[in-house]
């Protein structure tokens, strides 16, 4: 596994250059970011060199297409999907993710049929560039009734969706927060075929009843109550060798200094890796 | 188009032999029936000869696998699917259909994901034998709330399901009763690509408000209020050249003599064909 | 069926405007052309209006991606595919075609595996825009040994390729020249499911032995030896309702005046339609 | 990884019971065998108990359908495929394999198109039972010209075929003999995504020029010239955790006593595991 960062939880880190330099300095190997932005700001060659210079790779990027509303909106996003896939492929990034909200204002059965069709098309386009599509189930209880009808929020139902899509390059984004809020166990991850794990997010939850946990009240790894040692051990057991990036979603952006947050993130990670007994892993992988 | 019968609406017609003989006598060209039963009772050769002798073909058969409950139940039905596909192929039958109930006790979104996966598998197996899979949407209002959650009942949503399945041999079973109870028009059928119409059922509805029509209170074609002339003209316009079979579902089996019902069915059909101006069609196709 | 023109056989007709005007004047309903060029020259709105003003539709456009050489060349063509699909969809064109050369310098089995994968991807992308992909088999004998290894040139093998691709929106481009040079009959077309015919080319062959016919020595419909009456009757029987465009490939572009060639093309078409007994067809469809 | 045996290289070991008992006694964890035969001889329950009693699992079974000749022969094999899939699933076996001959008497391009379609169908049926399909490329030079036309024999072309098939449950059977005779390296296996390795065969080659190696002149692991240490290390590096079974194909069945051959097989395996530095692996996995 490779460990890294998203923009969530590191404050105002500044330019790409500053972010990558700080990530490297604090020992992170991967960042989740927007390949199109990188290419627009630095050119393909420049962006590739920027990453190489800091020995940081691009972990995953967000699916830039609206698959949740109308056929027209979906179709209008396809050129953006192509642009992102080209940029990502040029920068060596092989993972693209999207999240699935646990409730919806649309009639759920027809919405699922349309989601299958649209996400399959996205997977096919991404596959042309050697990129996998990761689907993130979203666990917090309050979101299950945020919109009119329940949709899906369990790993099992997300795997059923993946089977309905039926493309070889589709899998899960496993987020410790959703693993926790859907009350899954070590085995639910350990028994996954590794290739079905496309990307991993790590973060922690506050000590409130699990059905009270809110999606935008996340903590740094090790600062909350999620058994992240078991989470990482289970990922290791599954054979997963990809990226694990911290994503600390909060109501307000953190006010602390960015380097301070970087250091805090690094220590948080070290703590959970130590607890997981996976220190050696870092150096080896 | 070829016109024919199901078992619904013809009373106790008796043996296969008697059914086929009566169908032929009254000018029907096709019956919907169970290919496995025919083969079991007559052997492949015998069943084929029986059909040939009466110049009647097998229109469509019901999907003999439970795709609506558990993975285990589904899997246990697969040998039956294989047996039916083999028998149907041996008898020249190229169409297999299943209906989709408009409401469900299951959570609708996960059920849709599983339906896509299971129906795709059925389509793939049927495809190995050159057989198409037709999905029948079910329109009557009382069934939309018969079970806990709404599922799908419109032609548009069924086409979305067909696209989610994504196999070339999947299409619609268009039933005049469901076309009527979902308040579709001539164009909704006329504009369908013909290959998306796998099979057609014809029957009529009583003169009650459309949201009061009950699924098992169907009438013989032309004895009710459905504009079956428009229905047949729209099918013709679409280019559909397959079977149209009468399916008169009633609370109690009709008590009349079977031959009498046959004659009534024939006259019913002639009436709507005449109204549709499609007399010539019969002789030509 | 709708009848129309490609650029092959009409000389130097001039601008889009002139071409469309002449096509309309001579009673053609459809042209095969480049949607991207039309949009670049006239804008989406302008191109749509240009077509509408002359009551001419866009029949089919060529697949603008190199699926025959390397993975890299293929991938580099994908943005062009997207651009063409967007332009075509905006102009109401639903058909894209590519031809398959009957011999190849590549090892044929691996080339076929790669062709399946690449053409499937093209079909999936086109399908997102409601466009079908037509594969044209190429019959003339001299091309079967033009390159090192035989590939495929029969309708049956092309249908096998279509099944290997496995997408619902892939079918044949049926060209009378290849139908003739592969010595097919009325039934080979009449028995095709209509939805498997994506586009049709019509032209004629000189009175030389069939194995001597050269691909770029084509004649105007009715000026050669192909039984085009049977060809059109078979298309009609299949239920095909799409475009039939004249494609008269010649060694040198014809030197005659463009309007003269237009008139010749129109008379050629009228002759074969009359021979086919399909006069009424023209007015009806 | 789990290590085990096929019937090739162990002489006349006798009944299932004797084979399993000997396999267990000599420390093998897996056998490749026929699930249908096991179920026919012992019943589902009995066969499962037999395997459990000896702590031996079923590694892989041969695809019991003729995908190489006619559509009819293929279709006639489908009931056998279903039977085998049911038996395998009942016994916990998740892998089915078939080999691809490197030359063919058929025209190679059409044969490839048909192979894609037929193997896809097999994969879909197997997938319904949670079983993967492994394709074995066959390297020895003499077989590349055994039949009229070259087909495919490289890992790269087999991966292209797998992509053409396009189902998530299809991958490679990697055999050390074919890895060696196609002159692949450590990286060719190490860089494979683990889920693309469905099954592994291990055996050795005699010290003759690589283009002289014959398919049925195989040696026990470690008794020949293949770098099996690198082979196993590369498998380990890829993340493969499945079965590795010995398959010593010889012109004549070995004449030695079966237990003697068992012991020889075990020592052979220990030798290459020791050379690979993978002793610990055995105990852990």
């Amino acid at each position: 596994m490779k460990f890294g960062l998203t923009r969530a939880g590191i404050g105002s880190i500044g330019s790409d250059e500053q972010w990558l330099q700080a990530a490297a300095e604090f020992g992170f190997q991967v960042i989740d970011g927007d390949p199109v932005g990188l290419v627009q700001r630095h050119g393909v060659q420049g962006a590739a060199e920027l990453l190489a210079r800091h020995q940081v790779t691009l972990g995953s990027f967000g699916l830039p297409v609206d698959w949740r509303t109308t056929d027209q909106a979906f179709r209008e996003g396809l050129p953006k999907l192509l642009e992102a896939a080209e940029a990502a492929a040029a920068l060596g990034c092989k993972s693209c993710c999207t999240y699935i909200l646990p409730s919806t204002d649309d009639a759920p059965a027809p919405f699922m049929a349309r989601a299958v069709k649209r996400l399959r098309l996205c997977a096919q386009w991404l596959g042309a560039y050697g990129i996998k599509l990761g689907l993130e189930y979203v666990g917090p209880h309050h979101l299950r009734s945020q919109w009119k009808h329940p949709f899906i929020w369990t790993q099992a139902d997300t795997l059923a969706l993946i089977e309905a899509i039926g493309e070889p390059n589709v899998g899960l984004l496993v987020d410790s927060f959703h693993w926790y809020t859907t009350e899954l166990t070590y085995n639910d991850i350990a028994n996954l075929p590794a290739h079905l794990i496309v990307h991993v997010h790590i973060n922690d939850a506050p000590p409130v009843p699990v059905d009270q946990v809110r999606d935008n009240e996340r903590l740094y790894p090790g600062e909350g109550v999620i058994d992240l040692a078991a989470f990482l051990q289970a990922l290791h057991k599954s054979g997963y060798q990809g990226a694990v990036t911290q994503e600390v979603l909060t109501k307000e952006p953190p006010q602390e200094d960015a380097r301070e947050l970087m250091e805090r993130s690094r220590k948080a990670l070290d703590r959970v890796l130590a607890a997981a007994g996976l220190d050696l892993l870092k150096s080896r992988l």
Side-chain angles (χ1 to χ4, degrees), chain A:
Chain A
M1 287 183 271
K2 284 178 170 184
F3 294 88
L5 299 167
T6 67
R7 284 267 183 185
I10 54 165
S12 300
I13 194 70
S15 69
D16 298 326
E17 178 80 44
Q18 289 169 306
W19 186 19
L20 284 164
Q21 190 174 323
E25 184 183 336
F26 287 97
F28 293 103
Q29 301 150 292
V30 54
I31 60 163
D32 288 354
D34 170 25
V36 172
L38 279 169
V39 163
Q40 281 173 343
R41 287 188 294 274
H42 307 278
V44 167
Q45 189 66 18
E49 282 170 9
L50 192 60
L51 289 162
R53 192 180 325 134
H54 298 292
Q55 294 185 281
V56 169
T57 58
L58 209 47
S60 189
F61 63 101
L63 183 69
V65 61
D66 173 7
W67 58 268
R68 297 181 183 90
T69 62
T70 66
D71 278 343
Q72 194 185 336
F74 175 69
R75 197 189 273 189
E76 283 170 11
L78 294 178
K80 270 181 285 180
L81 177 60
L82 182 65
E83 187 185 22
E86 279 193 298
L91 301 181
C93 175
K94 311 246 170 175
S95 163
C96 173
C97 291
T98 192
Y99 56 87
I100 298 162
L101 290 171
S103 56
T104 173
D105 284 340
D106 290 309
F111 178 39
M112 177 57 87
R114 290 181 173 89
V116 167
K117 179 191 148 197
R118 292 173 187 163
L119 291 172
R120 180 188 300 134
L121 197 76
C122 293
Q124 291 165 340
W125 289 43
L126 290 167
Y129 291 87
I131 299 168
K132 301 179 84 168
L133 175 61
L135 305 183
E136 180 178 25
Y137 55 95
V138 171
H141 285 246
H142 67 105
L143 293 175
R144 301 181 193 178
S145 52
Q146 176 98 356
W147 295 276
K148 269 189 220 162
H149 312 286
F151 193 58
I152 61 169
W153 57 80
T154 68
Q155 182 171 290
D157 286 344
T158 311
L159 289 170
L161 167 55
I162 289 167
E163 289 193 284
I165 293 171
E167 293 292 321
N169 66 327
V170 184
L172 297 166
L173 189 172
V174 177
D175 184 311
S176 57
F177 206 75
H178 306 311
W179 175 73
Y180 170 70
T181 51
T182 55
E183 300 179 56
L184 295 189
T185 65
Y186 171 88
N187 280 330
D188 292 309
I189 292 176
N191 293 336
L192 284 174
H195 79 279
L196 280 183
I197 309 178
V198 170
H199 194 54
V200 174
H201 283 165
I202 191 166
N203 46 61
D204 218 327
V208 298
V210 70
D211 61 357
Q212 303 300 316
V213 175
R214 296 189 72 82
D215 198 49
N216 62 356
E217 295 179 1
R218 305 196 190 184
L219 305 179
Y220 289 81
E223 300 189 357
V225 298
I226 301 182
D227 185 355
L228 292 174
F231 181 72
L232 289 173
Q233 285 161 348
L235 286 167
H236 180 58
K237 170 69 180 163
S238 78
Y240 179 65
Q241 298 185 6
V244 178
T245 55
Q246 170 189 281
E247 191 198 38
V248 185
L249 298 172
T250 49
K251 259 185 238 172
E252 306 294 334
Q255 298 306 312
E256 294 88 337
D257 174 72
R259 292 183 57 86
E260 203 176 301
L261 290 167
M262 268 316 205
E263 192 170 357
R264 182 173 172 189
S265 297
R266 178 67 218 184
K267 284 187 178 156
L269 177 59
D270 283 339
R271 213 161 28 234
V272 294
L273 284 171
L278 293 171
D279 293 337
L280 291 171
L281 199 71
K282 283 185 300 173
S283 53
R284 188 165 63 89
L285 294 181

